[in-house]
Structure formats: C-alpha cells, structure tokens
C-alpha cells in the first residue's frame, strides 16, 4: 500500500523527525487543538487528477466515517477546514499528536475523491487504486503476483536510479524464499527462519539487514476464565516462562525480553516498567497460594500456523509449565480460526493463552495500550479480555495530552504499563529485531520500524558491489 | 497493527515441492518474496 499510496508526512522514529511527503510543512497551536498542514502543489493521482487540500479532507473524512481498519487514529478530529486549496486545518477535540497520526502507515492514505465519486464505494475492492505513490498497479493475481509499475508523473520525478517495476511474489515455503535470494531471483524476502540466516551470511550475494523493530510477541492471558481469572495464577505463569531460553534458542539473540507492551525504541517505553524473570520457585509459591499447589491445571494455548517461532515458543513454555504440574495443550490454527475461538461469546470456551504479535498502527504507544488492553464491549484485539477502569483512565488521559505534552503523556503511559505488569494481563515475551535477507546488490534499503515490512522501493535500486 | 500471518494460500511453488525456477530478475525489476498472500487492503480507508 505504501508503494501505491502516500501520506501527509513520514515518520523517522530513530531521529524522531517527520519527513514531508504530501504536506510540505505543518504547525500547531499552543494548546495543540489546531493543526495546520500546507499541501504540496503539483502532485497528481494515478488517475491524472490533481491532489489538493480538498482531496486530503475527503480522504480522511471518508476513512473516519467508514470506521474500518485503523481509522480510530483520527478520533481526535472534530472537523477539517480547507481555507484555501493547499491548506488543511484540523480542529481537534483534544490535543492528539496529529503529526504522528498523519504519518501512520495505515488509514492515513490520501486518495482521489473523484475515483470514489465516479466509480462508487466498491471500486477499490474490485482491485483498483487511486494513490499518488511512485508505483501504480499494473496487475494482480490473487494466487500469485502483484505487479506495480512506475507512475510517470510521480511528483519526486525519476531522475537517478530507480526500479521500473516491483513484483511481489507469494512464496509460502521458506526454503524457496531462501533459494530465490541466493539465486538472485529476489531482492528481498520476509520472514526467513532465523536458523537459515547464519548460512546466508556466508553467501557474498546476500546481505543480512538487522534492525530494531516495534514488533513484539505477547501471550494474551484469558482474564475472563478460570484459572487465569486469578491474578496469582497469571503471575505464576509469568514467572514460569523461560524468557532467556526463548530469546537464545528461538530468536537466536535477535530479540530482548519485553518490558510491558510498548517495545524498546518507541516513545512510551520505559526501563521503569518491571519484568518477570524465570523463577520456578516463585511460580510454585503463587500456584500454592491460588490453590493449585498440587498441580492438575490444564491450559489451552493457541498460536498461528505457518509461524515456526510462535510454535517453538509454545513448546518451550509447555516444557517449562510441565515442571509445575501444568499441562499445556498447544493448538496451532490459522489466524481466522484462532480469532473466532478468541471471540467466542462464552469466555469459558475461549483459549487460555493466545500468542500473537503486535506492531503499531502508527508510531504511538497508544496503539499498543488501547488496542490490546483497553476495556472492550465487543472483543476485537483485547484478547486478554482485560478490564481495569484505572488503566483505561490513565491511557485516555495520556492520549488526550500527547499532542501538546509528550512527557506528561509518557508518565501516564508508564504508570498504566506498571499496572498491566502487576496484574500480569499478558506474557510480555520479547521485542524482536527485524532480520531481513537482501540481495547484496540491493541499494538504498532502509528498515523503518514505524512501517513494518514496508520496503520503500522508490529509494532502492540495484548495483553490484565493487 | 499486528496480524503477522495473513491467510496462507499455497503457492504453486510449494504445491510442486520444487525449488524456485523463475527466470532471473530483469535488471530494472525489483522482486519481493512474501511469505504469505500479499496484504493489500484495496480500500485505502480500511487498511490496518
């Protein structure tokens, strides 16, 4: 999507800077309730129509109105004004960080209103696009390849070195992805098992990119069902996880144990948030206290098929819990089945532990804190089913001031995370690094943790090392 | 947001159980080998 569509800004979290894209600059009022973005002139959509402030307003209002995906990022917007064709003013209900919102890798794309008005609301779903990005859709085969080709009128132009086309191939078998990289048939492959990385390092035609990410693995604990409705049992499980074994044997060191849900490197992460360490004696004592000292507990853990790392984490947990007399059943399911089970109307019919990853919709800790742990009327992603009014209050207050006083927001977010850890609302397993195998000839690749799994193809080109 | 694994449809490559046999990359074509179905939220308003 980020190859076909663009946003007002792009965020560089390493340097905490915003890069102008469809907006050339922006400013905010002292109270953080009014944000003004100046829109770049001379930008065309792939349809040939001109991108302007009205298109920005339309795109964001439509996204907010549909209420799908990550549209919640615009919740602070009260109204959008267009004082002239190249100025957009956001009037907010509270001081949300609109620069972060406007640079989101999801739900912040600007598209051609005329395409919707002309072809109807279902036009996009019939596999059309109307972005401003450097590459436009050439073809898409559901079973195979997505082919994007240069947009000749792209506003940044085509001087310098760029690819003509970008082909996305669906290659489910990791060995095949590896072979493609080794044989020079692919420039980039995602999710290669880490044990294959060591071999690839020896190959001069392959380069391994290792960068910190905002992606972490969590074990969501079913707080709405016995026995994990008892915080002491959840704490016992938290002490029974062999974190360092997981990091060394499953992640081969390409990860660090999480401190709460906000990953290291993202603002809102704090070393003040405590960690559980592997301590079977403490786990036993807590189980004893909870009335499960003699064992006999059975728990169901679900994880996602096709993800070898999740499965291996589950196996290590199973072995560790067995030593405490807890029988862990591991059920590997595809995501839809797993999610259906997790949303069963009866909490007692749901899993006890669910392994899944989170990365932020936008580079804001609120993405983790809201989606994963804020009370929900209807189950979506709070798969611990955690409900705590004090926690909810803290993150809402933090969010509402984060556009004007980030430090105060962080203080509230850290407090909220301490509550989560104290309540053992989830297993905070690890913050992972992204380990990407690339063709050694691929130049210009930058792994931006705010945009997981996005390759900025316009910035890339191929050149053999001299 | 964090759904790492999209529905996995078997690729032809896997179905055949053979190593990759694609043509070598053309010089100006970039190739991204993705582990699952390419996640394109065709409606840009609904992406996550």
């Amino acid at each position: 999507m980020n190859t076909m569509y663009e946003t007002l800004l792009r965020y560089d979290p390493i340097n905490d800077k915003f890069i102008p894209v469809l907006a050339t600059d922006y400013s905010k009022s002292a109270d953080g309730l009014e944000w003004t973005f100046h829109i770049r002139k001379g930008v065309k959509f792939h349809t040939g129509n001109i991108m302007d402030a009205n298109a920005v307003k339309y795109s964001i209002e439509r996204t907010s109105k549909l209420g799908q995906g990550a549209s919640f990022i615009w919740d602070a917007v009260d109204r959008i004004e267009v004082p002239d064709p190249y100025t957009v003013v956001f009037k907010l209900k509270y001081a949300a960080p609109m620069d972060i919102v406007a640079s989101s890798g999801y739900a912040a794309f600007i598209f051609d209103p005329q395409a919707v008005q002309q072809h109807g609301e279902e036009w996009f779903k019939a596999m059309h696009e109307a972005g401003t990005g450097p590459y436009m859709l050439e073809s898409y085969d559901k079973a195979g390849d997505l082919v994007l080709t240069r947009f000749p009128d792209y506003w940044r132009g085509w001087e310098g070195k760029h690819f003509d086309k970008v082909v996305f191939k669906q290659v489910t078998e990791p060995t095949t992805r590896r072979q493609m990289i080794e044989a020079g048939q692919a420039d980039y492959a995602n999710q290669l098992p880490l044990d294959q990385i060591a071999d690839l390092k020896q190959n001069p035609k392959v380069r391994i990119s290792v960068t910190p990410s905002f992606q972490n693995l969590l074990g969501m604990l079913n707080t709405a069902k016995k026995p994990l409705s008892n915080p002491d049992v959840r704490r016992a499980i938290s002490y029974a996880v062999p974190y360092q074994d997981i990091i060394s044997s499953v992640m081969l060191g390409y990860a660090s144990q999480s401190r709460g849900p906000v990953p290291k490197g993202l603002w809102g992460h704090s070393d003040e948030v405590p960690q559980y360490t592997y301590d079977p004696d403490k786990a036993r004592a807590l189980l004893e206290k909870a009335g499960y000292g003699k064992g006999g507990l059975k728990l169901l853990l679900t994880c996602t098929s096709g993800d070898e790392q999740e499965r291996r984490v589950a196996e290590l947990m199973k072995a560790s819990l067995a030593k405490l007399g807890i029988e862990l059943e591991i059920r590997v399911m595809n995501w839809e089945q797993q999610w259906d089970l997790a949303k069963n109307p009866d909490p007692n019919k749901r899993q006890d532990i669910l392994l899944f990853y989170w990365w932020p919709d936008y580079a804001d800790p609120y993405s983790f804190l809201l989606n994963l742990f804020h009370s929900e009327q209807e189950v979506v992603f709070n798969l611990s089913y955690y409900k705590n009014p004090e926690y909810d209050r803290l993150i809402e207050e933090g969010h509402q001031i984060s556009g004007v006083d980030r430090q105060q927001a962080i203080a509230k977010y850290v407090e909220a995370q301490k509550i989560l850890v104290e309540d053992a609302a989830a297993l905070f397993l690890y913050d992972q690094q992204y380990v990407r195998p690339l063709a050694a000839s691929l130049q210009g690749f930058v792994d931006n943790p705010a945009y997981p799994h996005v390759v900025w193809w316009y910035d890339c080109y191929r050149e053999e090392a001299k | 947001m964090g759904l790492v694994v999209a529905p996995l449809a078997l690729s032809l490559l896997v179905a055949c159980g053979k190593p990759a046999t694609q043509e070598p990359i053309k010089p100006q074509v970039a190739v991204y080998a993705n582990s699952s179905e390419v996640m394109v939220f065709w409606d840009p308003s609904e992406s996550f």
Side-chain angles (χ1 to χ4, degrees):
Chain A
M1 290 295 280
N2 287 278
T3 312
M4 295 186 283
Y5 289 93
E6 293 178 308
T7 49
L8 294 179
L9 305 170
R10 189 184 302 172
Y11 183 51
D12 168 4
I14 308 297
N15 300 301
D16 195 19
K17 282 186 177 167
F18 293 91
I19 301 156
V21 186
L22 295 180
T24 53
D25 58 80
Y26 68 98
S27 59
K28 64 178 173 182
S29 61
D31 61 5
L33 294 174
E34 185 174 307
W35 292 65
T36 301
F37 287 77
H38 294 111
I39 306 303
R40 188 177 298 281
K41 294 176 181 170
V43 177
K44 281 186 182 174
F45 291 109
H46 299 164
T47 55
N49 296 321
I50 297 294
M51 191 278 307
D52 62 10
N54 284 307
V56 172
K57 174 181 162 71
Y58 180 92
S59 298
I60 294 167
E61 286 181 345
R62 178 175 182 269
T63 297
S64 297
K65 190 177 167 192
L66 288 177
Q68 301 295 309
S71 59
F72 74 91
I73 62 173
W74 299 106
D75 282 353
V77 177
D78 181 42
R79 63 186 188 278
I80 302 173
E81 295 176 356
V82 176
D84 67 62
Y86 289 96
T87 304
V88 174
V89 180
F90 293 92
K91 305 269 189 176
L92 305 187
K93 291 177 265 189
Y94 51 85
M98 293 308 289
D99 41 11
I100 293 179
V101 171
S103 60
S104 170
Y106 304 96
F109 298 121
I110 307 304
F111 49 86
D112 183 1
Q114 292 185 50
V116 183
Q117 289 155 356
Q118 210 172 332
H119 302 292
E121 291 287 343
E122 296 300 308
W123 185 73
F124 288 123
K125 287 179 183 162
M127 295 173 193
H128 297 99
E129 55 91 9
T132 59
Y135 294 91
M136 56 187 189
L137 177 65
E138 180 176 300
S139 63
Y140 178 63
D141 173 351
K142 263 190 176 174
D145 298 352
L146 170 69
V147 181
L148 306 181
T149 192
R150 277 189 188 196
F151 172 44
D153 292 334
Y154 183 51
W155 61 270
R156 287 167 72 187
W158 290 101
E159 291 292 315
K161 296 172 182 172
H162 307 279
F163 288 107
D164 291 336
K165 291 181 193 290
V166 183
V167 178
F168 295 79
K169 286 181 176 291
Q170 179 187 320
V171 187
T172 53
E173 178 57 44
T175 306
T176 310
R177 291 199 297 279
R178 173 182 167 170
Q179 288 172 343
M180 289 175 72
I181 285 284
E182 289 182 302
Q185 293 169 340
D187 296 283
Y188 174 95
N190 77 337
Q191 291 191 27
L192 215 53
L194 292 170
D195 54 9
Q196 298 198 18
I197 293 294
D199 293 343
L200 280 176
K201 277 183 178 170
Q202 311 305 320
N203 187 332
K205 291 184 176 176
V206 180
R207 181 160 55 91
I208 306 297
S209 164
V210 180
T211 48
S213 85
F214 294 158
Q215 180 170 322
N216 53 19
L217 183 68
L218 302 107
M220 306 302 281
L221 301 177
N222 187 341
T223 62
K225 172 188 173 185
K226 284 186 178 175
L228 297 184
S229 51
N230 182 337
D232 280 331
V233 180
R234 299 199 299 270
R235 289 178 193 123
I237 304 292
S238 299
Y239 278 121
V241 173
Y243 299 95
Q244 296 311 318
D245 286 352
I246 288 171
I247 287 165
S248 59
S249 69
V250 179
M251 294 304 293
L252 303 183
Y254 292 116
S256 56
Q257 187 186 339
S258 302
R259 285 186 181 274
V262 178
K264 195 172 180 66
L266 181 61
W267 64 278
H269 174 91
S270 170
D271 288 345
E272 288 177 27
V273 177
Q275 288 173 318
Y276 291 90
T277 51
Y278 177 60
D279 190 333
D281 292 336
K282 278 187 181 169
R284 266 190 212 96
L286 284 160
L287 287 172
E288 185 87 33
K289 183 182 167 195
Y292 297 103
K294 293 178 181 170
L297 272 182
K298 289 186 178 181
L299 300 174
L300 170 64
L301 177 149
T302 64
C303 59
T304 312
S305 54
D307 191 309
E308 185 63 9
Q309 282 157 209
E310 282 192 19
R311 192 190 61 73
R312 291 180 61 196
V313 168
E315 292 290 350
L316 285 176
M317 286 175 57
K318 182 185 175 85
S320 186
L321 290 175
K323 293 176 190 166
L324 298 170
I326 298 172
E327 187 184 331
L328 184 69
E329 179 195 345
I330 299 170
R331 201 176 293 171
V332 181
M333 310 166 80
N334 73 35
W335 170 252
E336 281 73 17
Q337 291 171 331
Q338 202 181 352
W339 207 16
D340 281 348
L341 179 68
K343 292 191 287 189
N344 190 299
D346 181 354
N348 292 309
K349 292 182 178 169
R350 299 171 190 159
Q351 77 294 327
D352 297 293
I353 305 173
L354 181 150
L355 290 187
F356 87 148
Y357 300 99
W358 194 263
W359 62 67
D361 311 85
Y362 64 137
D364 192 315
Y366 190 61
S367 170
F368 291 84
L369 300 171
L370 171 79
N371 287 293
L372 297 176
F373 297 108
H374 192 283
S375 307
E376 287 181 337
Q377 293 296 324
E378 183 185 339
V379 175
V380 184
F381 290 119
N382 178 350
L383 301 178
S384 289
Y385 322 110
Y386 183 69
K387 288 184 179 173
N388 183 331
E390 173 66 3
Y391 170 83
D392 291 351
R393 182 186 64 77
L394 281 166
I395 68 162
E396 285 163 12
E397 287 179 2
H399 181 55
Q400 295 192 2
I401 54 171
S402 59
V404 72
D405 189 345
R406 188 186 280 189
Q407 290 312 311
Q408 204 184 332
I410 288 173
K412 289 182 185 290
Y413 289 159
V414 169
E415 209 53 42
Q417 289 177 83
K418 287 179 180 173
I419 291 174
L420 286 181
V421 174
E422 171 60 23
D423 278 354
L427 304 171
F428 302 104
L429 296 167
Y430 58 73
D431 301 345
Q432 70 175 81
Q433 296 175 337
Y434 284 139
V435 184
R436 318 280 200 192
L438 315 171
S441 57
L442 184 70
Q443 310 296 326
F445 173 84
V446 174
D447 213 345
N448 182 332
Y451 305 91
H453 313 299
V454 171
V455 178
W456 305 100
W457 286 110
Y458 177 84
D459 300 329
C460 295
Y461 58 97
R462 190 180 297 120
E463 192 167 87
E464 299 296 337
K466 289 176 185 172
Chain B
M1 96 135 47
L3 308 182
V4 158
V5 181
L8 297 177
L10 288 177
S11 74
L12 286 174
L13 293 168
V14 176
C16 297
K18 292 176 183 173
T21 54
Q22 288 94 343
E23 294 293 317
I25 298 175
K26 291 174 186 167
Q28 296 309 322
V29 177
V31 177
Y32 183 133
N34 198 39
S35 56
S36 59
E37 188 177 342
V38 176
M39 292 180 79
V40 176
F41 298 91
W42 288 102
D43 190 325
S45 288
E46 299 186 7
S47 62
F48 70 93

